[in-house]
Amino acid sequence: MTDAELEAHAINVIRGLAMDAPNAARSGHQGTAMALAPLAHVLFTRVMTYDASAPGWFDRDRFILSAGHASILQYAFLHLTGFGLTLEDLKAFRQWGSATPGHPESHTPGVEVTTGPLGQGFANGVGMGVAERHLRARFGADVCDHHTFVICSDGDLSEGVSHEAASLAGHLGLGRLIYVYDDNHISIDGPTELALSDDAPKRFEAYGWHVENLGEAADDLDAIEGGLRRAMEVQDAPSLLVLRSHIAFPSPTLIDTPGAHGLAFDDATIAEAKQVMGLPDEPFFVPDDVLTMYRSAGTRGRDAREAWEKRFEAFDGDRAELDACLAQTGRRGWTDAIPTFAPGDSMATRSASGKVLAALVDDVPGLIGGGADLTGNTNTTIADRGALSTAEPAGRQLFYGIREHAMGALMNGMAHHGGVIPIGGTFLVFSDYMRGAVRLAALSQAKSIFVWTHDSVGVGEDGPTHQPVEQVASLRAIPDLRVFRPADANEVAHAWRLAIEHDGPSALILTRQNVPVLEGTIDADVAGGAYVLLDADDPAVVLAATGSEVHLCVDAAKQLAAGGIAARVVSMPCWELFEARSAADRGSVLPSGVPTLGVEAGSSLGWHRWADEVICIDRFGASAPGQRVLDELGMTADHVASTARKLLGGDR
Ligand SMILES: Cc1ncc(C[n+]2csc(CCOP(=O)(O)OP(=O)(O)O)c2C)c(N)n1
Ligand SMILES: [Mg+2]
């Protein structure tokens, strides 16, 4: 066989696997995987620099399959090139406990980000491009010098988050982004013409991208390689290559049919397609010569990696800074820089957050501040370090513009790229606009720090459109997302430390309005999730609260004490951390048998787990000065005290 014949044969073998695994699972998406086998082949054997034996090598090219439904394509390459997936893993495609879940998940070696929700991978790639260029500017091309390759589909380009991210990528002139658009004119409901008639190339040109139409080149390896290489030459703009492909090619029966998107082919259709390709009618057929060729391609970046390792060793800049960045942590002793706040002072928790962040800028060098046009309002500024832009790529302040969803997804891409710790701020009520990305941050444990301020009806005059009510409860419902609602400035400081120490996402829910710095919070057990802030001998009632309602409970406890009722105040800044503790531990904070009143200026959903009675807000707020709204909706110390008395059985 000539090399060209071997490549053609290898691509057909991939197509065979792309049919066999979904057939074994009776579930999966073979059509696009088949059509894009040549593109993936060119990327993995001719273009990308990577070493399958070292999937975590920092300076590897990144590959994202944004159209995550075609996961079998990525898995086939991860197996054949030697990332560690076995043929048995491919046979267990989509099965319980397998390493080959339905959509790519970032815990699989070789999978950079979790994709599947369309548009997310597209925007994650932009985050990767931001991180790469930033670190190249800061530490030099000897340390960081790679590309991000993304395969995206009609669905990816239709989703709003990709529009936001594409606009920002063009604005930022991210030249190391190489996107290939699988222009197959098919989505699930039928031909894309049912709902999509915009001119994608023109749209991307208008965003400032380099666009090249490769046309009917889905099977032309040299044409694909040429397009990719030309795109790699473009330094100052992201690239979109438009590749017209034919879903399910070369199946004579299913080519170009929407049914090929996700319906597992039957045995006869598979046999027919294999016959056309000259493959034996044998499931999971991988001949030795194909495996050998791919295994050798899998090490094509080994020399580059070894050379990089020498350069990395010899790095003569600020080593401690580089190490801290790559480890996504602080310099040695960084926690010493975290400020404490004296009781008696009064400060919005968003302001405290800004002060803590300012104190950490030098010692946690990977922090990249940012906000969605509310940077000052959310205090997510990293001052005096420059605005990250084309002109100043080393800047540590990223202006995301009014693009919350892309901000969340870029942050996840940056976090998974490594070397940086992204911070993104907006109003809590707009966390809803980010939710798709936040969920994936949790699922993939991206080290993204979401700063959501203006956290209750205390927002005031802007009214119910801007007053969050149900957001905290809905964020707590996301598994593996740590949601912190600190009571005061000191709890904010603890929450920041925990967020930076945690290898996963954290949400900081902060007030717009001032709240007092409380007695006893300098040593607050925020790490324990909830703790006794103010105790009494043999308490008759527990007042449990978060955030701006904790100080109301402290005042209410004093009122109750004056009336002869012993009350304990529990601050619960992070339910997830509290839930992770033993029942006995939790009982030492919230004792069973003592009536508990929960207080939070938001939805009561979830509170009955901890409390017998609640003071919450299960309605929309209203436009008025914030204090008036809080008073009207029962968020006062008097109301807490009177409700506690009622809970204890009447007018005590
Ligand atoms: C946000 C989101 N919405 C819906 C889906 C369900 N879904 C999976 S693929 C797809 C569209 C398929 O069209 P396209 O992206 O062009 O992929 P192709 O069929 O060409 O492979 C849809 C709607 C999804 N994965 N993500
Ligand atoms: Mg399509």
PDB file of all heavy atoms in Angstrom, residues 32 67 69 152-156 181-188 190 192 196 245 247 261, ligand 2:
ATOM      1  N   THR A  32     -21.968  12.147  11.461  1.00  0.00           N
ATOM      2  CA  THR A  32     -21.000  13.241  11.393  1.00  0.00           C
ATOM      3  C   THR A  32     -19.589  12.724  11.662  1.00  0.00           C
ATOM      4  O   THR A  32     -18.617  13.184  11.050  1.00  0.00           O
ATOM      5  CB  THR A  32     -21.401  14.339  12.395  1.00  0.00           C
ATOM      6  OG1 THR A  32     -22.693  14.815  11.995  1.00  0.00           O
ATOM      7  CG2 THR A  32     -20.423  15.486  12.406  1.00  0.00           C
ATOM      8  N   ALA A  67     -18.977  19.978  18.486  1.00  0.00           N
ATOM      9  CA  ALA A  67     -20.128  19.137  18.153  1.00  0.00           C
ATOM     10  C   ALA A  67     -19.950  17.806  18.881  1.00  0.00           C
ATOM     11  O   ALA A  67     -19.656  16.764  18.293  1.00  0.00           O
ATOM     12  CB  ALA A  67     -20.198  18.934  16.646  1.00  0.00           C
ATOM     13  N   HIS A  69     -21.659  15.599  20.045  1.00  0.00           N
ATOM     14  CA  HIS A  69     -22.428  14.386  19.735  1.00  0.00           C
ATOM     15  C   HIS A  69     -21.631  13.431  18.861  1.00  0.00           C
ATOM     16  O   HIS A  69     -21.871  12.227  18.875  1.00  0.00           O
ATOM     17  CB  HIS A  69     -23.776  14.732  19.097  1.00  0.00           C
ATOM     18  CG  HIS A  69     -23.687  15.593  17.874  1.00  0.00           C
ATOM     19  ND1 HIS A  69     -23.634  16.969  17.947  1.00  0.00           N
ATOM     20  CD2 HIS A  69     -23.624  15.287  16.553  1.00  0.00           C
ATOM     21  CE1 HIS A  69     -23.561  17.471  16.720  1.00  0.00           C
ATOM     22  NE2 HIS A  69     -23.540  16.460  15.856  1.00  0.00           N
ATOM     23  N   CYS A 152     -16.692  22.586  14.776  1.00  0.00           N
ATOM     24  CA  CYS A 152     -18.023  23.038  15.187  1.00  0.00           C
ATOM     25  C   CYS A 152     -19.035  22.774  14.070  1.00  0.00           C
ATOM     26  O   CYS A 152     -18.668  22.615  12.905  1.00  0.00           O
ATOM     27  CB  CYS A 152     -17.988  24.517  15.571  1.00  0.00           C
ATOM     28  SG  CYS A 152     -17.248  25.593  14.340  1.00  0.00           S
ATOM     29  N   SER A 153     -20.285  22.735  14.469  1.00  0.00           N
ATOM     30  CA  SER A 153     -21.343  22.285  13.560  1.00  0.00           C
ATOM     31  C   SER A 153     -22.398  23.370  13.372  1.00  0.00           C
ATOM     32  O   SER A 153     -22.314  24.451  13.952  1.00  0.00           O
ATOM     33  CB  SER A 153     -21.996  21.037  14.145  1.00  0.00           C
ATOM     34  OG  SER A 153     -22.634  21.385  15.368  1.00  0.00           O
ATOM     35  N   ASP A 154     -23.408  23.048  12.567  1.00  0.00           N
ATOM     36  CA  ASP A 154     -24.521  23.989  12.379  1.00  0.00           C
ATOM     37  C   ASP A 154     -25.127  24.385  13.721  1.00  0.00           C
ATOM     38  O   ASP A 154     -25.467  25.557  13.940  1.00  0.00           O
ATOM     39  CB  ASP A 154     -25.615  23.342  11.521  1.00  0.00           C
ATOM     40  CG  ASP A 154     -25.117  22.970  10.131  1.00  0.00           C
ATOM     41  OD1 ASP A 154     -24.593  23.855   9.434  1.00  0.00           O
ATOM     42  OD2 ASP A 154     -25.232  21.783   9.756  1.00  0.00           O
ATOM     43  N   GLY A 155     -25.267  23.394  14.599  1.00  0.00           N
ATOM     44  CA  GLY A 155     -25.845  23.679  15.911  1.00  0.00           C
ATOM     45  C   GLY A 155     -24.972  24.651  16.695  1.00  0.00           C
ATOM     46  O   GLY A 155     -25.470  25.585  17.323  1.00  0.00           O
ATOM     47  N   ASP A 156     -23.665  24.420  16.667  1.00  0.00           N
ATOM     48  CA  ASP A 156     -22.751  25.319  17.386  1.00  0.00           C
ATOM     49  C   ASP A 156     -22.882  26.751  16.886  1.00  0.00           C
ATOM     50  O   ASP A 156     -22.898  27.703  17.669  1.00  0.00           O
ATOM     51  CB  ASP A 156     -21.302  24.866  17.189  1.00  0.00           C
ATOM     52  CG  ASP A 156     -20.987  23.619  17.979  1.00  0.00           C
ATOM     53  OD1 ASP A 156     -21.170  23.639  19.199  1.00  0.00           O
ATOM     54  OD2 ASP A 156     -20.564  22.620  17.371  1.00  0.00           O
ATOM     55  N   TYR A 181     -15.742  24.643  10.452  1.00  0.00           N
ATOM     56  CA  TYR A 181     -17.206  24.562  10.498  1.00  0.00           C
ATOM     57  C   TYR A 181     -17.668  23.436   9.585  1.00  0.00           C
ATOM     58  O   TYR A 181     -17.447  23.469   8.378  1.00  0.00           O
ATOM     59  CB  TYR A 181     -17.787  25.914  10.066  1.00  0.00           C
ATOM     60  CG  TYR A 181     -19.266  25.933   9.739  1.00  0.00           C
ATOM     61  CD1 TYR A 181     -20.184  25.124  10.416  1.00  0.00           C
ATOM     62  CD2 TYR A 181     -19.758  26.799   8.757  1.00  0.00           C
ATOM     63  CE1 TYR A 181     -21.535  25.161  10.110  1.00  0.00           C
ATOM     64  CE2 TYR A 181     -21.120  26.846   8.444  1.00  0.00           C
ATOM     65  CZ  TYR A 181     -21.998  26.016   9.117  1.00  0.00           C
ATOM     66  OH  TYR A 181     -23.327  26.051   8.805  1.00  0.00           O
ATOM     67  N   ASP A 182     -18.299  22.451  10.188  1.00  0.00           N
ATOM     68  CA  ASP A 182     -18.832  21.320   9.435  1.00  0.00           C
ATOM     69  C   ASP A 182     -20.169  21.731   8.809  1.00  0.00           C
ATOM     70  O   ASP A 182     -21.233  21.581   9.403  1.00  0.00           O
ATOM     71  CB  ASP A 182     -19.024  20.122  10.374  1.00  0.00           C
ATOM     72  CG  ASP A 182     -19.710  18.979   9.657  1.00  0.00           C
ATOM     73  OD1 ASP A 182     -19.454  18.806   8.447  1.00  0.00           O
ATOM     74  OD2 ASP A 182     -20.506  18.255  10.306  1.00  0.00           O
ATOM     75  N   ASP A 183     -20.061  22.237   7.619  1.00  0.00           N
ATOM     76  CA  ASP A 183     -21.212  22.812   6.918  1.00  0.00           C
ATOM     77  C   ASP A 183     -21.929  21.700   6.157  1.00  0.00           C
ATOM     78  O   ASP A 183     -21.786  21.555   4.947  1.00  0.00           O
ATOM     79  CB  ASP A 183     -20.650  23.884   5.959  1.00  0.00           C
ATOM     80  CG  ASP A 183     -21.711  24.567   5.124  1.00  0.00           C
ATOM     81  OD1 ASP A 183     -22.863  24.632   5.576  1.00  0.00           O
ATOM     82  OD2 ASP A 183     -21.363  25.033   4.022  1.00  0.00           O
ATOM     83  N   ASN A 184     -22.713  20.901   6.894  1.00  0.00           N
ATOM     84  CA  ASN A 184     -23.322  19.730   6.223  1.00  0.00           C
ATOM     85  C   ASN A 184     -24.801  19.930   5.902  1.00  0.00           C
ATOM     86  O   ASN A 184     -25.463  19.001   5.406  1.00  0.00           O
ATOM     87  CB  ASN A 184     -23.082  18.449   7.038  1.00  0.00           C
ATOM     88  CG  ASN A 184     -23.829  18.448   8.368  1.00  0.00           C
ATOM     89  OD1 ASN A 184     -24.610  19.359   8.661  1.00  0.00           O
ATOM     90  ND2 ASN A 184     -23.603  17.419   9.166  1.00  0.00           N
ATOM     91  N   HIS A 185     -25.311  21.108   6.183  1.00  0.00           N
ATOM     92  CA  HIS A 185     -26.700  21.450   5.818  1.00  0.00           C
ATOM     93  C   HIS A 185     -27.734  20.556   6.487  1.00  0.00           C
ATOM     94  O   HIS A 185     -28.875  20.485   6.051  1.00  0.00           O
ATOM     95  CB  HIS A 185     -26.904  21.405   4.294  1.00  0.00           C
ATOM     96  CG  HIS A 185     -26.128  22.446   3.549  1.00  0.00           C
ATOM     97  ND1 HIS A 185     -26.684  23.268   2.605  1.00  0.00           N
ATOM     98  CD2 HIS A 185     -24.823  22.790   3.603  1.00  0.00           C
ATOM     99  CE1 HIS A 185     -25.755  24.077   2.109  1.00  0.00           C
ATOM    100  NE2 HIS A 185     -24.618  23.802   2.705  1.00  0.00           N
ATOM    101  N   ILE A 186     -27.312  19.873   7.568  1.00  0.00           N
ATOM    102  CA  ILE A 186     -28.238  18.947   8.236  1.00  0.00           C
ATOM    103  C   ILE A 186     -28.209  19.207   9.728  1.00  0.00           C
ATOM    104  O   ILE A 186     -27.144  19.380  10.315  1.00  0.00           O
ATOM    105  CB  ILE A 186     -27.777  17.471   8.002  1.00  0.00           C
ATOM    106  CG1 ILE A 186     -27.912  17.056   6.532  1.00  0.00           C
ATOM    107  CG2 ILE A 186     -28.538  16.503   8.904  1.00  0.00           C
ATOM    108  CD1 ILE A 186     -29.308  16.751   6.082  1.00  0.00           C
ATOM    109  N   SER A 187     -29.370  19.244  10.316  1.00  0.00           N
ATOM    110  CA  SER A 187     -29.439  19.127  11.779  1.00  0.00           C
ATOM    111  C   SER A 187     -30.555  18.135  12.090  1.00  0.00           C
ATOM    112  O   SER A 187     -30.961  17.380  11.197  1.00  0.00           O
ATOM    113  CB  SER A 187     -29.623  20.498  12.441  1.00  0.00           C
ATOM    114  OG  SER A 187     -30.832  21.068  12.047  1.00  0.00           O
ATOM    115  N   ILE A 188     -31.025  18.079  13.316  1.00  0.00           N
ATOM    116  CA  ILE A 188     -31.904  16.959  13.674  1.00  0.00           C
ATOM    117  C   ILE A 188     -33.264  17.044  12.989  1.00  0.00           C
ATOM    118  O   ILE A 188     -33.773  16.065  12.437  1.00  0.00           O
ATOM    119  CB  ILE A 188     -32.094  16.884  15.204  1.00  0.00           C
ATOM    120  CG1 ILE A 188     -30.766  16.528  15.872  1.00  0.00           C
ATOM    121  CG2 ILE A 188     -33.158  15.850  15.555  1.00  0.00           C
ATOM    122  CD1 ILE A 188     -30.840  16.407  17.383  1.00  0.00           C
ATOM    123  N   GLY A 190     -34.123  18.301  10.279  1.00  0.00           N
ATOM    124  CA  GLY A 190     -34.126  18.186   8.822  1.00  0.00           C
ATOM    125  C   GLY A 190     -33.012  19.022   8.245  1.00  0.00           C
ATOM    126  O   GLY A 190     -31.998  19.271   8.897  1.00  0.00           O
ATOM    127  N   THR A 192     -30.893  22.216   7.322  1.00  0.00           N
ATOM    128  CA  THR A 192     -30.750  23.449   8.108  1.00  0.00           C
ATOM    129  C   THR A 192     -31.606  24.568   7.526  1.00  0.00           C
ATOM    130  O   THR A 192     -31.987  25.489   8.241  1.00  0.00           O
ATOM    131  CB  THR A 192     -29.283  23.909   8.136  1.00  0.00           C
ATOM    132  OG1 THR A 192     -28.781  23.909   6.803  1.00  0.00           O
ATOM    133  CG2 THR A 192     -28.435  23.007   8.995  1.00  0.00           C
ATOM    134  N   LEU A 196     -32.338  28.166   9.228  1.00  0.00           N
ATOM    135  CA  LEU A 196     -31.044  28.860   9.225  1.00  0.00           C
ATOM    136  C   LEU A 196     -30.716  29.312   7.817  1.00  0.00           C
ATOM    137  O   LEU A 196     -30.561  28.474   6.922  1.00  0.00           O
ATOM    138  CB  LEU A 196     -29.962  27.886   9.724  1.00  0.00           C
ATOM    139  CG  LEU A 196     -28.547  28.423   9.866  1.00  0.00           C
ATOM    140  CD1 LEU A 196     -28.457  29.399  11.035  1.00  0.00           C
ATOM    141  CD2 LEU A 196     -27.563  27.273  10.105  1.00  0.00           C
ATOM    142  N   SER A 245     -19.521  19.200   4.086  1.00  0.00           N
ATOM    143  CA  SER A 245     -19.409  17.744   4.223  1.00  0.00           C
ATOM    144  C   SER A 245     -20.782  17.121   4.005  1.00  0.00           C
ATOM    145  O   SER A 245     -21.788  17.832   3.905  1.00  0.00           O
ATOM    146  CB  SER A 245     -18.859  17.380   5.600  1.00  0.00           C
ATOM    147  OG  SER A 245     -19.896  17.443   6.552  1.00  0.00           O
ATOM    148  N   ILE A 247     -23.162  14.289   5.669  1.00  0.00           N
ATOM    149  CA  ILE A 247     -23.347  13.415   6.818  1.00  0.00           C
ATOM    150  C   ILE A 247     -23.517  11.969   6.345  1.00  0.00           C
ATOM    151  O   ILE A 247     -24.153  11.704   5.328  1.00  0.00           O
ATOM    152  CB  ILE A 247     -24.549  13.899   7.678  1.00  0.00           C
ATOM    153  CG1 ILE A 247     -24.518  13.290   9.070  1.00  0.00           C
ATOM    154  CG2 ILE A 247     -25.876  13.660   6.987  1.00  0.00           C
ATOM    155  CD1 ILE A 247     -25.414  13.987  10.084  1.00  0.00           C
ATOM    156  N   HIS A 261     -28.089  11.568  11.598  1.00  0.00           N
ATOM    157  CA  HIS A 261     -27.521  12.332  12.723  1.00  0.00           C
ATOM    158  C   HIS A 261     -27.384  11.478  13.978  1.00  0.00           C
ATOM    159  O   HIS A 261     -26.344  11.442  14.599  1.00  0.00           O
ATOM    160  CB  HIS A 261     -28.387  13.564  13.022  1.00  0.00           C
ATOM    161  CG  HIS A 261     -28.087  14.153  14.363  1.00  0.00           C
ATOM    162  ND1 HIS A 261     -27.099  15.087  14.547  1.00  0.00           N
ATOM    163  CD2 HIS A 261     -28.619  13.914  15.595  1.00  0.00           C
ATOM    164  CE1 HIS A 261     -27.039  15.400  15.834  1.00  0.00           C
ATOM    165  NE2 HIS A 261     -27.949  14.708  16.485  1.00  0.00           N
TER     166      HIS A 261
HETATM  167 MG    MG B   2     -25.133  19.877  10.659  1.00  0.00          MG
END
